[in-house]
Amino acid sequence: MPPGAGPTEVEWAAAVAAVRDLPPDGRVQLICHVNPDGDALGSMLAFGLGLRHRGVRQLRATFPGPPEVPEPFRGLPGLDLLVPATEAYPDPDLVVCFDAASESRLGELVDRLETAGTALVLDHHASNTRFGGVNLVDPHAAATSVVVEELLARLGVPLDAGIAECLYVALSTDTGSFRFEATTPAVHAMAARLLATGIRPGDISRRIFDTRPFGAVRLFGEVLGRARLEPAAAGGHGLVWTYATLDDLTRHDQRPYVLEALIDSVRCTAEADVSCVVKQTGPDGWAVSMRSKGAVDVSRVAVALGGGGHRFAAGFTGHGTVEEVVGSIRAELGAALVTPGPA
Ligand code: AMP
Ligand code: MN
Ligand code: MN
């Protein structure tokens, strides 16, 4: 298969067969990546609703880590499929993984790749390590939900409003509300198919993107107020970064997921190509989000530091102090330059 190509017909056929050939009471475990975002949850729940439509009854969805669904996603159709990771089937007939570029994104559920009869991977990361028995990986797809829509169509599952809402949340999250480079004519055509089911984009977008507790608004003010701009970093293309600690969350009485939207305020900075938010997850652990406007391939930085992602959006798990984490990023920026610095 040429690098960067989507799934082959053989791979599509194998994925269809994995579902079609399930035993009558086959158990299916759906797993999306740790700290699930809209694409991870939306893709997983859309596929779950599709399997339910096909008559699959022993069906569970989950993700590693604490079983807390971020508030913006608590209205998603199909949430009744969700169980805590501790209640995932130990040895399902089929496991399906969503939006995870590598096994490490499955956390404590990684053993299901071994215990399941078949492991099917649905993803769109160029860095995907093809860790399933059957892999549907399309690096050109704007979201994993694009792959899910196609597989559901090949399984003969019609789009209903529930499936469409999940897919729409996934697609609009990963394209930044249809603003990012990956927003192709095919993406808008898919959005049109989803909207034709009668779902309400205004309501969905307000819930997903434009609603947060007042405490989070004040927390953002504080965290944005300590942002640092380094114009000379990244060969003169500039770096802007900030951080949020567990203490910040406690003082404002907020849950960690509210910080996911922070990067969108930081990456506005005109003077920096690369933006970064360092979010504390434990005494010595940090979840790092990076974005680029194109001069730097941030997935190279992330992979060098043990993470992954895409050219314009990537992340990794950092250790040490904030300064050490940011220092490790700074040190990798030069090697990740796509275009030379300004003269
Ligand atoms: P985020 O900044 O969390 O929105 O993530 C941006 C991109 O980086 C997503 O495509 C993620 O899949 C990827 N990513 C984030 N954190 C990690 C990590 N710790 N390991 C691998 N990939 C990650
Ligand atoms: Mn994701
Ligand atoms: Mn995705």
Side-chain angles (χ1 to χ4, degrees):
M1 193 181 77
T8 63
E9 280 305 319
V10 172
E11 289 171 323
W12 284 116
V16 168
V19 174
R20 200 191 43 215
D21 299 344
L22 275 170
D25 263 318
R27 288 151 305 146
V28 180
Q29 183 63 56
L30 311 179
I31 306 176
C32 70
H33 67 69
V34 67
N35 298 328
D37 52 25
D39 190 27
L41 274 174
S43 294
M44 176 170 75
L45 296 178
F47 196 68
L49 290 170
L51 290 183
R52 183 182 269 170
H53 180 91
R54 281 185 58 92
V56 177
R57 284 196 306 276
Q58 303 213 70
L59 179 60
R60 295 179 185 173
T62 195
F63 51 84
E68 184 182 1
V69 176
E71 177 70 35
F73 304 129
R74 283 185 201 158
L76 276 178
L79 274 180
D80 58 298
L81 293 168
L82 210 57
V83 299
T86 49
E87 289 169 32
Y89 292 121
D91 54 354
D93 296 281
L94 173 66
V95 68
V96 192
C97 305
F98 298 86
D99 204 37
S102 64
E103 295 171 53
S104 64
R105 302 283 281 161
L106 303 180
E108 71 269 27
L109 292 160
V110 69
D111 69 307
R112 301 314 195 276
L113 296 172
E114 304 300 327
T115 60
T118 306
L120 172 58
V121 166
L122 273 58
D123 188 37
H124 69 126
H125 291 89
S127 62
N128 187 287
T129 56
R130 308 182 67 81
F131 56 89
V134 181
N135 300 283
L136 296 182
V137 179
D138 186 353
H140 294 295
T144 294
S145 58
V146 173
V147 181
V148 170
E149 192 209 19
E150 166 116 31
L151 182 55
L152 288 176
R154 286 174 182 252
L155 286 166
V157 176
L159 283 180
D160 61 23
I163 294 174
E165 179 163 340
C166 291
L167 292 176
Y168 190 84
V169 165
L171 189 61
S172 57
T173 308
D174 263 28
T175 58
S177 297
F178 307 98
R179 285 174 298 168
F180 300 158
E181 218 59 55
T183 311
T184 57
V187 163
H188 279 293
M190 175 171 164
R193 288 192 293 279
L194 302 177
L195 292 175
T197 65
I199 59 171
R200 299 175 59 90
D203 289 350
I204 296 171
S205 300
R206 192 173 308 106
R207 221 176 334 117
I208 302 297
F209 302 111
D210 297 334
T211 304
R212 68 181 61 120
F214 184 57
V217 172
R218 295 185 52 108
L219 169 63
F220 276 33
E222 200 175 311
V223 173
L224 290 173
R226 64 168 86 114
R228 292 280 174 273
L229 176 65
E230 301 183 18
H237 291 285
L239 166 71
V240 58
W241 62 273
T242 190
Y243 65 94
T245 63
L246 291 175
D247 180 60
D248 294 325
L249 288 170
T250 305
R251 271 185 294 102
H252 291 280
D253 193 24
Q254 293 303 304
R255 308 292 302 151
Y257 62 77
V258 304
L259 299 173
E260 297 309 306
L262 252 179
I263 188 72
D264 290 319
S265 301
V266 179
R267 71 183 173 83
C268 297
T269 307
E271 296 87 344
D273 185 82
V274 180
S275 51
C276 174
V277 176
V278 183
K279 297 162 279 191
Q280 190 174 26
T281 53
D284 177 53
W286 305 85
V288 182
S289 285
M290 294 182 291
R291 300 292 184 267
S292 160
K293 293 177 189 152
V296 170
D297 178 346
V298 283
S299 75
R300 281 194 231 163
V301 178
V303 168
L305 298 172
H310 312 273
R311 184 179 154 187
F312 297 99
F316 68 97
T317 302
H319 300 280
T321 63
V322 178
E323 267 303 340
E324 284 165 350
V325 173
V326 175
S328 70
I329 295 169
R330 221 180 266 124
E332 293 296 336
L333 288 174
L337 273 179
V338 177
T339 50

